[in-house]
Amino acid sequence: MTTIDPNSKPRQASADSQPDTIYSTPLAQVPGFAFDQAVARVFPDMIKRSVPGYAETVAMSGIIAGRYAQPGSNLYDLGCSLGAVTLAMRHGVRAEGCHIIGIDNSASMIERAEHYVALDEGRVPVQMLCADILEYPLERASVTSLNFVLQFIAPEQRLALLSNIAAATLPGGALILSEKLCFPEQEQRLQDELHLDFKRANGYSELEIAQKRSAIENVLIPETEQAHVQRLQAAGFSQVIRWYQCFNFVSFLAIK
């Protein structure tokens, strides 16, 4: 557990992220995708080139946090990776006495996230934790972010996680849930092609696209919009709206 002193001065930043070339050479056997040290090193480049609308989702998470953060409450960034949403929240919060907690089960991600948070000039206290979001006890949450994380969790565990989040959320609090969707067959083909075109436009080769798809198959399990909305309601959120979509990537706002 690392606590960032909000009064400390930021250190000089270092450009230590690298371009994503993980799948650029032929692999005899493509291993399952994991958020390991290799992915942590290239993650900013990888997600920018792989997830359409990612930058907008991160930026708007800060704006949403500014609206829904309540005085003296906790804000959680679950599956925080390198802490992009953590920092967006930090700069969006206006309520007094808030505390932001970023949690990820990848030690490699948390190590780098701590570096980025320490370099940031935000004043809201931040903790970065290497922990399992399925087990970590949440409390007094006014805003929780679950951005492109639920899709990596076993389907049978998803309702329990969302129910825990809802139970810990203060009345009037919110959950930001961003996911990759699946669609009826005809629309699915179009959305897949548009997503592939997006990757090609961002410089990924056909080899990289094919090997990444093989790595992530059976690891990332998308669902329909209806499945997400029904589960959020079953978990205890009273209002669910789809506030953003770019191709097959979507973000919901669930309010308790």
Side-chain angles (χ1 to χ4, degrees):
M1 179 177 72
T2 298
T3 301
I4 308 299
D5 180 0
N7 297 312
S8 63
K9 295 182 179 180
R11 298 193 298 269
Q12 184 65 35
S14 61
D16 59 352
S17 60
Q18 301 173 14
D20 175 20
T21 59
I22 290 177
Y23 300 103
S24 61
T25 57
L27 300 172
Q29 184 174 359
V30 180
F33 185 84
F35 291 95
D36 55 16
Q37 189 173 23
V39 169
R41 282 197 299 268
V42 304
F43 188 73
D45 185 59
M46 173 184 283
I47 199 160
K48 179 179 69 175
R49 296 166 64 198
S50 301
V51 179
Y54 178 73
E56 288 77 10
T57 300
V58 170
M60 295 306 104
S61 294
I63 290 176
I64 292 170
R67 172 171 288 271
Y68 287 96
Q70 300 179 24
S73 67
N74 293 321
L75 288 79
Y76 293 97
D77 183 8
L78 303 182
C80 63
S81 61
L82 299 184
V85 171
T86 300
L87 295 180
M89 287 180 168
R90 191 182 206 185
H91 289 276
V93 168
R94 297 187 298 270
E96 296 293 328
C98 290
H99 189 79
I100 302 174
I101 303 170
I103 304 173
D104 202 289
N105 65 358
S106 168
S108 298
M109 287 290 191
I110 287 296
E111 181 181 359
R112 286 177 175 264
E114 289 172 343
H115 171 72
Y116 293 132
V117 171
L119 293 170
D120 182 69
E121 296 180 347
R123 306 295 295 176
V124 181
V126 172
Q127 282 182 302
M128 304 304 291
L129 308 177
C130 185
D132 187 345
I133 64 172
L134 296 172
E135 299 178 359
Y136 188 83
L138 308 176
E139 59 181 7
R140 290 192 55 77
S142 60
V143 181
T144 300
S145 168
L146 198 62
N147 277 327
F148 309 111
V149 174
L150 197 66
Q151 58 202 17
F152 291 103
I153 292 173
E156 63 272 15
Q157 295 178 302
R158 295 176 183 180
L159 177 58
L161 173 59
L162 294 178
S163 297
N164 287 341
I165 295 171
T169 300
L170 298 169
L175 166 67
I176 305 164
L177 175 67
S178 302
E179 287 284 289
K180 183 179 182 180
L181 293 185
C182 60
F183 304 87
E185 184 176 357
Q186 185 174 1
E187 183 178 356
Q188 185 68 54
R189 286 197 298 269
L190 174 59
Q191 294 284 7
D192 284 343
E193 284 302 320
L194 290 170
H195 187 205
L196 291 176
D197 288 343
F198 172 83
K199 290 184 175 182
R200 294 178 184 116
N202 279 292
Y204 280 126
S205 67
E206 298 303 319
L207 174 65
E208 289 175 293
I209 290 171
Q211 291 193 142
K212 175 71 174 294
R213 179 188 293 158
S214 178
I216 215 158
E217 190 174 19
N218 301 321
V219 176
L220 189 161
I221 304 174
E223 296 177 293
T224 65
E225 178 175 357
Q226 182 181 19
H228 283 294
V229 172
Q230 289 178 344
R231 186 189 296 116
L232 287 165
Q233 292 171 338
F237 292 97
S238 61
Q239 183 181 5
V240 181
I241 63 169
R242 172 169 47 85
W243 65 269
Y244 185 80
Q245 181 175 349
C246 189
F247 299 150
N248 47 0
F249 291 85
V250 66
S251 190
F252 300 100
L253 179 62
I255 303 167
K256 185 173 178 181

